[in-house]
Amino acid sequence: MSPMHGSGVRAALRISRRNALRSKRRSALILAMIGLPVALAVFSLTALFALAGTDRQHYPIGQADAVVTGAHGWAGLTQDAWGNAQDAQGNGVSAQPGEGPFTQAEVTALLAPGSRVIPAARGTFRYLTPQGYETGEIRQVDLRDPMSRGTFRLTEGRLPVAPGEAVVSAERLNRDDAPAVAPGVTLLVGEERRPVRVVGVAMFAMAGIEPTLATFPGSLPADAFGPVDSELMSRAWLVDSPRPVTWADVRRLNAQGLVVGRAVIDRLPADESPSRVSDLVRAVPWVAIMLLEVVLLAGPAFAVGRLRRSREFALVAVQGGSPAHLRTIAIADGLLFGVVASALGAALGLVAAPLATPLLEWRAGVLLGPFDVPWAGVAMVAMLGVVAGLLAALAPAVAASRTDPVAVLSGRRERGRERAGRPVLGTVLVVAGTAATIASAGHDIAWTATSALVTQLGLVALVPVFLAATARLAARLPLPLRFAARDAVRNRGRTAPAVAAVMTAVVALVSVGVAGHSVVAQRSVLDYAQAPAGALQVTGPDLTPELWDRVRSAVREELPAGVPLIEARMLATRSGAPLYAFVPDDASESHRMVVSDAAGSGGLLVGGEDLLRYVLRREDPGAVAALREGKPVVLNPDVIRQGEVRIELAPATGEEAPPPLTLPAVGVRPTGQGWARVVVSPEVAAKNGYAAVTCMLVVDPADFRTPQATAGRIAAKVERITGMAVVRLETPQTPGDTLFLVVLGIAAAVLVLGMTSVATMLAAVEARPDLETMSAVGAAPRVKRAVVAGQALVIALLGSVAGVLAGLAPGVAAAWRPAPFPAVVVRADGTTTMVPADPAIAIPWALIGLLVVGLPLLAALGGAAFTRSRLPLPRRRAT
């Protein structure tokens, strides 16, 4: 009978099931090693990557059949299935002056008979909270209507039922200053300061920009949402149609001037398929690394089972069983455990995903969408789990096929047949993988992972060579270490997977540690000063005058008497809405993003002589005289043209910008670092029709150098007043990553010590005859502890050292890429220049020291501590 015949496989599986039930602890360990990664992968596929819909541009339709918008004068437009519209010239459509939106009656008349519509609008508004002003997206729609079902979930309070009521998003409520917009708070929205009371909290589905507030229809006037916009759906209608909306209906409505957003599902292009395929391709190296780790982790456990069943294999062999029979019986363990663990892991992941979805939604503050099982991905992950089980059992199965029945049944040690082999393939893979890793620096992280995987495969092939070299180096070491090294070489089939598993885990930890530590170092390089050294700044451009009075009093309470408190303001409309200024960087009147502007003013500050002295860093009578004459003081004289400076203004809410401000100016260069671009007096602002609102309070270090303790007390007091103000003491700060390194250290301890302990227990079992011989010749009881400690030290040290050396290259390659944000150079005149930030490479020496020194020693101490010191006596066996 062929061992691969159906009945032979069934018999092997029955034998494997019987042995699995007999060794419950080992079976549970193997099931956990294979099943937990499968459960984690399935959980990630079903929970973490679930998105609520695919449309990221238009209003969420919920249970509606369509969402439409339009204006008189749009007749004859065309659109695609997603609702992207254009006119006959191919330009986007938006309402022009005089092109009013359709009314509810007009929209209803254009739809199929029996259709029902409700208004829906959204826009960006500035609103006043008890802690200051905020700006956010407001959606106005009746959430009680069935058409809104699926776009939100009420988590607290109730839904709005009348104009002037709203619900706040859970994402907004998760912020530190959540009480500012909590249920029960009344907000004043827009320029007209219409009162809106928050009556509940809701999670909103992810579809474009999630709203901060959802108000009941009529809370805000329709024209407050701006002109009709086909892309933003700023003023639209949700449609409940008695019959499906067809593509012919869409074309007919287009001819009348209506845009239908995501109406005909069967006409939607499958534009997500390439991205999904791309995501799967990018995930291949990570899945392969996980598969390799599972194989290396479970391999020693299967080897333990093979060793314990050696007498069973010997009995099968003496009864006529061929090596193929023995190999089939042993590899049936991998098949059985792989199938059972994969099934249990997939089931656990599928059960955990819907249970964890509410928690994930609560943390994110948004709905993740309906629970959907990607069965193809789940099947692929489960299949990989089965393959991992088979691969993990492959080496023990080969060893089982070489069982010497005479040696096993007579109680003698089997003659080992493992050889180090020729390191040609491993060397080629290591060289090729390392070269590819170096070449991947600065490119997509998936290329780095792929090249690191090639290097890992080569190192796994070279582990027997490393073991042989270790044994030669240990020739002059004490007996326990010498015995451990030679025992590792003699039993390469058991030791090599354990060392490779430790090495693979350490490679991943070192790579992540180097990349993460380098990101923190790069962040410290990108951190720029926002004020002179020692200056104390309290910034809050969205605070009301009443809040500023309370903040000002709190700051003065902590400062010594007589210390001046400089006040900086920014331009605002007559109603008090702040205006952001765009000041030219140079004579070409080009503008750069002002990322160093702590006050949020755009570089234009309104203030008096004390503010001018602060930004100039010196006393300048000429600049003071110009300020008194009503001329702006420009810190970069090059931008003054024909004695004037041109300043563009923009409102914070995206409304229509006021005309540029052109003023006669005087240029004065600052001493050292400048902290503004232009300083104007309040009289100049008022003369040109603008108000000035406080945006910053400053304590000049030339007047008083604020101690850290004083700054801490001021920050605590300000935090109790409002969460929308920032207190900053300008001192050199180095961002830390202690928590990140601690997490990596804990993961390293769990993985390295866990894998080492399994391999050490197996080594102790196999070394029992040698220990018996030592006892017979008079070895002291402590020898056994020393031998076990040496075995643990060899496995952990060799795996950790090889892993650290192999993990540095991918870690550096992952970190060797431009920073996500450019470095900011602030010149002496207050202007900023952004330049690409050079990669910063930082090695986490503490983590490497733990891996190379701490954990191997801890593994050795653990092996000695949990081993009985009493040596076994030789046993006589009947012959």
Side-chain angles (χ1 to χ4, degrees):
M1 179 188 67
S2 171
M4 296 307 296
H5 192 270
S7 58
V9 174
R10 288 194 296 270
L13 290 174
R14 286 197 301 270
I15 296 173
S16 179
R17 179 173 60 85
R18 181 193 63 192
N19 283 279
L21 295 176
R22 183 183 302 168
S23 303
K24 294 183 175 60
R25 292 183 179 179
R26 182 183 69 89
S27 301
L29 177 64
I30 297 176
L31 290 176
M33 289 178 176
I34 301 175
L36 289 180
V38 172
L40 180 61
V42 171
F43 174 83
S44 301
L45 285 174
T46 54
L48 298 182
F49 300 147
L51 298 178
T54 56
D55 188 0
R56 294 290 179 211
Q57 299 179 355
H58 298 94
Y59 193 95
I61 63 175
Q63 297 298 313
D65 296 303
V67 56
V68 301
T69 188
H72 299 288
W74 287 11
L77 61 86
T78 59
Q79 70 164 89
D80 60 15
W82 289 105
N84 301 309
Q86 58 185 10
D87 56 20
Q89 288 73 35
N91 302 318
V93 292
S94 59
Q96 302 298 323
E99 295 180 350
F102 285 102
T103 65
Q104 183 171 354
E106 291 172 335
V107 173
T108 304
L110 293 175
L111 297 171
S115 298
R116 184 173 66 90
V117 300
I118 62 172
R122 65 180 181 182
T124 302
F125 291 84
R126 188 169 185 260
Y127 52 90
L128 179 61
T129 75
Q131 294 191 4
Y133 286 97
E134 289 191 19
T135 301
E137 171 106 349
I138 293 182
R139 182 182 298 172
Q140 185 160 282
V141 67
D142 188 358
L143 297 179
R144 302 174 305 167
D145 193 281
M147 282 189 280
S148 294
R149 190 179 303 126
T151 64
F152 75 98
R153 180 192 301 156
L154 187 69
T155 61
E156 182 181 342
R158 61 176 176 83
L159 292 177
V161 296
E165 294 184 343
V167 293
V168 63
S169 70
E171 186 275 334
R172 169 62 186 82
L173 206 63
N174 285 341
R175 285 166 42 181
D176 295 336
D177 56 339
V181 200
V185 171
T186 298
L187 310 174
L188 301 179
V189 182
E191 294 292 336
E192 300 179 358
R193 295 198 172 187
R194 290 180 174 265
V196 174
R197 182 174 178 80
V198 180
V199 297
V201 182
M203 291 183 183
F204 292 95
M206 296 193 304
I209 301 176
E210 290 72 51
T212 302
L213 297 169
T215 60
F216 191 83
S219 300
L220 301 174
D223 56 4
F225 292 89
V228 181
D229 190 292
S230 64
E231 182 178 355
L232 299 177
M233 293 285 176
S234 57
R235 299 163 70 177
W237 306 89
L238 292 178
V239 178
D240 182 10
S241 177
R243 60 176 177 80
V245 179
T246 65
W247 193 248
D249 294 331
V250 173
R251 291 306 187 197
R252 178 176 57 82
L253 294 173
N254 290 163
Q256 299 294 328
L258 285 178
V259 178
V260 185
R262 198 183 175 203
V264 188
I265 303 300
D266 58 0
R267 291 298 297 254
L268 295 181
D271 58 349
E272 285 198 335
S273 298
S275 62
R276 292 185 179 273
V277 173
S278 176
D279 291 340
L280 288 175
V281 172
R282 289 167 57 88
V284 167
W286 308 105
V287 173
I289 291 174
M290 182 192 72
L291 177 64
L292 176 63
E293 186 66 22
V294 170
V295 171
L296 296 175
L297 277 172
F302 281 111
V304 172
R306 196 275 305 175
L307 181 65
R308 291 181 175 180
R309 297 171 61 188
S310 57
R311 185 173 179 82
E312 176 184 329
F313 289 125
L315 290 174
V316 172
V318 298
Q319 294 179 31
S322 65
H325 285 96
L326 300 180
R327 190 164 50 249
T328 301
I329 294 173
I331 208 168
D333 282 354
L335 179 60
L336 177 68
F337 282 111
V339 171
V340 174
S342 297
L344 293 177
L348 179 61
L350 291 176
V351 171
L355 295 178
T357 297
L359 177 61
L360 296 174
E361 290 177 337
W362 174 75
R363 292 292 298 175
V366 295
L367 296 181
L368 295 181
F371 178 69
D372 186 19
V373 179
W375 292 111
V378 172
M380 181 189 70
V381 171
M383 185 62 65
L384 288 176
V386 176
V387 172
L390 291 173
L391 292 178
L394 184 59
V398 173
S401 67
R402 299 172 179 174
T403 298
D404 185 351
V406 177
V408 172
L409 296 178
S410 63
R412 294 184 286 106
R413 178 188 295 273
E414 294 182 81
R415 185 182 299 275
R417 298 185 183 181
E418 296 93 348
R419 298 179 181 178
R422 297 181 179 180
V424 176
L425 178 60
T427 303
V428 170
L429 290 177
V430 169
V431 173
T434 303
T437 301
I438 296 174
S440 69
H443 296 82
D444 193 284
I445 192 67
W447 291 110
T448 303
T450 303
S451 57
L453 175 62
V454 175
T455 305
Q456 280 294 97
L457 294 175
L459 289 174
V460 170
L462 291 177
V463 166
V465 179
F466 297 157
L467 290 173
T470 302
R472 288 192 295 269
L473 294 175
R476 298 184 179 181
L477 294 177
L479 173 63
L481 292 178
R482 187 168 66 252
F483 175 85
R486 292 179 176 176
D487 178 73
V489 175
R490 184 170 50 186
N491 299 281
R492 294 188 185 95
R494 172 252 302 163
T495 310
V499 173
V502 173
M503 178 183 64
T504 302
V506 171
V507 167
L509 292 169
V510 171
S511 301
V512 173
V514 172
H517 199 55
S518 299
V519 168
V520 173
Q522 194 174 57
R523 194 183 309 154
S524 65
V525 173
L526 297 179
D527 189 23
Y528 49 85
Q530 298 181 14
L536 177 72
Q537 291 187 159
V538 182
T539 56
D542 292 323
L543 301 186
T544 62
E546 295 78 13
L547 288 172
W548 270 121
D549 290 339
R550 297 173 59 188
V551 170
R552 191 180 294 107
S553 299
V555 175
R556 289 193 183 279
E557 288 175 1
E558 296 297 332
L559 296 177
V563 174
L565 189 59
I566 303 172
E567 182 170 343
R569 303 177 185 179
M570 62 188 299
L571 291 181
T573 62
R574 286 295 186 184
S575 62
L579 294 172
Y580 193 85
F582 291 90
V583 181
D585 282 337
D586 49 40
S588 64
E589 296 190 359
S590 62
H591 304 284
R592 295 186 179 93
M593 185 181 298
V594 189
V595 294
S596 64
D597 181 21
S601 66
L604 188 149
L605 295 179
V606 181
E609 299 174 14
D610 54 353
L611 177 63
L612 184 61
R613 178 177 65 111
Y614 171 74
V615 298
L616 291 178
R617 308 307 304 146
R618 73 175 187 274
E619 295 285 356
D620 192 314
V624 172
L627 192 67
R628 290 175 179 175
E629 293 175 4
K631 294 182 178 181
V633 178
V634 181
L635 277 69
N636 182 11
D638 295 338
V639 304
I640 299 177
R641 311 184 75 177
Q642 298 179 353
E644 293 180 333
V645 62
R646 178 186 172 89
I647 302 169
E648 297 182 5
L649 302 173
T653 57
E655 300 172 357
E656 185 177 355
L661 189 60
T662 303
L663 301 171
V666 173
V668 179
R669 294 194 182 277
T671 300
Q673 188 72 57
W675 305 104
R677 299 189 179 201
V678 178
V679 178
V680 301
S681 64
E683 294 76 16
V684 172
K687 181 180 178 181
N688 287 272
Y690 295 102
V693 294
T694 304
C695 62
M696 181 168 60
L697 298 177
V698 179
V699 178
D700 193 335
D703 300 323
F704 177 72
R705 202 172 187 90
T706 308
Q708 184 71 50
T710 303
R713 292 193 299 270
I714 292 175
K717 286 188 173 182
V718 171
E719 178 66 26
R720 287 194 291 269
I721 297 172
T722 175
M724 300 174 66
V726 177
V727 179
R728 177 183 174 107
L729 180 63
E730 194 61 47
T731 55
Q733 297 181 355
T734 302
D737 57 349
T738 303
L739 180 61
F740 171 72
L741 293 179
V742 168
V743 172
L744 285 182
I746 294 175
V750 172
L751 292 174
V752 174
L753 296 180
M755 291 180 287
T756 302
S757 62
V758 173
T760 302
M761 287 189 293
L762 175 60
V765 172
E766 288 193 336
R768 183 183 180 93
D770 298 303
L771 297 176
E772 291 176 350
T773 303
M774 292 181 187
S775 177
V777 299
R782 64 177 181 274
V783 171
K784 181 181 180 181
R785 292 183 183 273
V787 167
V788 174
Q791 291 170 329
L793 181 64
V794 168
I795 295 172
L797 184 62
L798 184 57
S800 296
V801 171
V804 166
L805 295 177
L808 289 176
V812 171
W816 194 267
R817 51 178 37 86
F821 301 101
V824 180
V825 179
V826 184
R827 297 195 293 265
D829 57 4
T831 61
T832 58
T833 300
M834 292 185 287
V835 297
D838 294 330
I841 305 300
I843 307 299
W845 296 111
L847 177 64
I848 291 179
L850 175 68
L851 291 170
V852 175
V853 179
L855 292 183
L857 292 179
L858 191 59
L861 292 176
F866 293 99
T867 301
R868 292 182 299 177
S869 59
R870 181 173 173 269
L871 287 170
L873 295 176
R875 292 177 297 176
R876 292 181 177 272
R877 293 180 174 84
T879 58

